[in-house]
Amino acid sequence: MKSTPREQRPHVIIVGGGVAGLILATRLGETLGRRGRARISLIDRSWIHVWKPMLHTFAAGTWNIYQQQVQYLAHARAHHFEYVPGKVDAIDRTARRIRLARLSAGGEVVALGRDLDYDLLVLAYGSRANDFGTPGVAEHCHFIDSPDQADAFNTRLRAGVVRSLAEGDNINIAIVGGGATGVELAAELSRMVELASAYGNTEIRCRLRVTLLEAAPRILGAFPEKVSTSVESQLRELGVDVRTGVKVLAADPGGYLLEGGARVPAALKVWAAGIRASCSFHESGLVLNRAGQIVVGPDLMAEGEQHIFALGDCATLVPKGADRPLPATAQVASQQALHLIRHLPVLLRKGTPVPPFNFRDFGALVALSEYNAFGTLGRFGFFKGGFIKGRFAQLSHSMLYRRHQLSLHGHRAVVLWLAERINALVQPSIRIS
């Protein structure tokens, strides 16, 4: 394959258009790409970006993915960077070159395999659930790690709802993983069926059977115990069967097999447990942990490298003085992106090293659809931490996404919010087709 010749302008390649990657490409495009000081390229196998913490709402059909998605091609043109559809197949660290595999969609080849040279490479390709090799999971379970996966689940969910409306069947859904994704999906499914009852038999709400399975002693293990117990209580009020301390041994077409021989029947099965990097570059020579995440130093540079950075869920960083790595959250990813936005231009222009990244914990929130929200505030300024719930927590959770939109679109985000409100007045409250 023919490689792209090097240019006088430094070439910054960003792999992955998630929360961190797209913010980074957008801001560097505005500061460096617009002025011709660097060539900024964003590589992603998908054509669209959505905020990953919203995927469960698309899976449930309570939010319209078409209103919330960002088209990479149009966004790149507006913000002076280059969008390259593709999937990275290999990294040649010595030659500073990446190889892109051939990309197909719908049985058609949309991009040929090719090589691209880089001056700086930023890996931000995100993460996916980890099935830990559990038998039957890959074949029989849905994952909610991408828009395509969320859409595939929603297609089957809608079929189950229609069947329940027509024939009175129960809607049996079992979710493995009591983290934020599993918990929020369980609540969103309850909300979806509640809204669906307005389109037919009002008894359909009683036919929803959602089981949430968690191997740990409690759900939301990364949250304070008060948040965990409050969320579990709310889920039980919604009719969710929350089971903790249970180990799933296998999945099959009819449900899950648990340790001890018990079974959980479910027509729809979701695996939302564990985390691992969504790509694997074991042959690249990069230092990886057991979950395939890239080990980075305080400056977010891959361990032992001089031209490769990694951030977000695909990277692992243990802060100085801490005994565990930073969590794989959108909050961490966006702060890391903003750190590189501030310092990469100086690195390219003067060779000044990127200073250590300091994570500022603004707290953690989990929203149970329109029912409730719970979380903690960070310890900064006038806020000294503490438990929050109810409307204030819901507004705080909503603001996380609004801030992300502002980061990408600036003042034009206000127009998007207005269009969203207008659409809500004329469109169905759930996806029905």
Side-chain angles (χ1 to χ4, degrees):
M1 289 178 287
K2 186 177 180 181
S3 64
T4 304
R6 291 198 183 275
E7 304 177 8
Q8 290 185 346
R9 292 182 303 164
H11 190 190
V12 179
I13 294 181
I14 302 164
V15 179
V19 171
L22 188 56
I23 291 176
L24 183 61
T26 300
R27 298 290 186 86
L28 292 183
E30 291 288 350
T31 57
L32 301 178
R34 179 196 293 269
R35 297 174 175 84
R37 295 176 180 172
R39 176 186 172 196
I40 311 298
S41 298
L42 175 69
I43 298 173
D44 200 286
R45 73 180 77 181
S46 176
W47 298 94
I48 63 169
H49 162 88
V50 297
W51 199 50
K52 190 173 181 180
M54 288 184 68
L55 283 174
H56 69 283
T57 66
F58 305 139
T62 51
W63 274 69
N64 189 334
I65 189 172
Y66 301 106
Q67 293 178 18
Q68 307 303 325
Q69 66 187 16
V70 176
Q71 299 283 345
Y72 286 128
L73 194 60
H75 192 77
R77 181 176 180 180
H79 296 279
H80 310 281
F81 67 90
E82 174 188 14
Y83 162 61
V84 182
K87 176 181 180 298
V88 176
D89 187 49
I91 300 173
D92 186 336
R93 295 153 46 239
T94 303
R96 276 189 275 164
R97 181 174 298 145
I98 60 172
R99 180 181 304 122
L100 299 184
R102 187 172 66 171
L103 186 66
S104 300
E108 297 291 332
V109 177
V110 295
L112 297 174
R114 60 221 186 271
D115 290 353
L116 292 174
D117 294 320
Y118 65 83
D119 293 282
L120 287 180
L121 177 63
V122 182
L123 300 174
Y125 46 79
S127 65
R128 58 181 174 84
N130 189 350
D131 64 12
F132 306 102
T134 307
V137 170
E139 295 83 4
H140 303 295
C141 296
H142 287 272
F143 295 84
I144 314 293
D145 295 319
S146 71
D148 288 343
Q149 291 177 345
D151 187 63
F153 174 82
N154 182 258
T155 298
R156 288 198 60 197
L157 175 64
R158 282 184 285 120
V161 170
V162 171
R163 191 161 49 247
S164 180
L165 288 170
E167 302 177 7
D169 293 346
N170 286 336
I171 307 169
N172 291 313
I173 304 172
I175 304 166
V176 175
T181 298
V183 162
E184 292 184 333
L185 177 61
E188 208 68 43
L189 291 170
S190 177
R191 177 65 174 162
M192 184 278 300
V193 174
E194 186 176 300
L195 293 170
S197 65
Y199 295 92
N201 191 337
T202 56
E203 295 180 358
I204 188 176
R205 182 67 185 81
C206 302
R207 300 192 199 119
L208 177 66
R209 304 285 189 272
V210 177
T211 304
L212 182 64
L213 305 170
E214 170 57 49
R218 62 182 177 92
I219 61 173
L220 298 174
F223 286 71
E225 188 169 354
K226 187 172 183 179
V227 174
S228 174
T229 55
S230 299
V231 168
E232 181 173 339
S233 176
Q234 181 78 64
L235 287 176
R236 292 190 186 280
E237 286 183 21
L238 295 175
V240 178
D241 181 8
V242 181
R243 305 189 195 182
T244 56
V246 296
K247 182 178 180 180
V248 175
L249 298 183
D252 56 40
Y256 290 114
L257 174 64
L258 307 183
E259 189 175 51
R263 282 187 58 82
V264 176
L268 272 173
K269 295 168 288 297
V270 177
W271 191 275
I275 184 174
R276 67 173 297 103
S278 61
C279 298
S280 178
F281 296 113
H282 291 285
E283 297 180 0
S284 66
L286 294 171
V287 180
L288 309 176
N289 66 5
R290 290 189 300 176
Q293 295 169 298
I294 301 166
V295 178
V296 300
D299 57 359
L300 304 181
M301 191 170 286
E303 189 172 296
E305 301 299 319
Q306 296 182 329
H307 305 282
I308 300 177
F309 292 88
L311 67 161
D313 294 2
C314 75
T316 179
L317 169 64
V318 179
K320 185 177 180 180
D323 57 357
R324 63 177 59 187
L326 292 175
T329 64
Q331 181 182 184
V332 171
S334 60
Q335 286 189 36
Q336 290 178 335
L338 292 173
H339 184 73
L340 290 187
I341 287 165
R342 285 192 294 269
H343 299 292
L344 284 188
V346 184
L347 172 65
L348 290 171
R349 188 171 67 251
K350 299 181 180 180
T352 304
V354 173
F357 167 72
N358 292 310
F359 172 61
R360 194 173 185 183
D361 187 1
F362 290 99
L365 294 163
V366 58
L368 303 183
S369 190
E370 299 295 322
Y371 301 109
N372 212 331
F374 303 90
T376 58
L377 292 172
R379 296 180 177 275
F380 61 93
F382 294 105
F383 300 104
K384 303 302 179 184
F387 174 76
I388 59 173
K389 66 176 182 177
R391 189 59 179 164
F392 178 66
Q394 287 178 313
L395 289 172
S396 299
H397 188 273
S398 176
M399 282 303 299
L400 297 177
Y401 178 49
R402 300 310 181 192
R403 288 182 61 186
H404 176 65
Q405 288 181 305
L406 282 170
S407 296
L408 294 179
H409 305 294
H411 65 276
R412 286 178 292 182
V414 178
V415 179
L416 294 176
W417 301 341
L418 179 61
E420 183 182 307
R421 297 303 303 165
I422 293 173
N423 282 327
L425 296 175
V426 298
Q427 297 293 332
S429 53
I430 57 173
R431 183 178 178 185
I432 57 177
S433 64

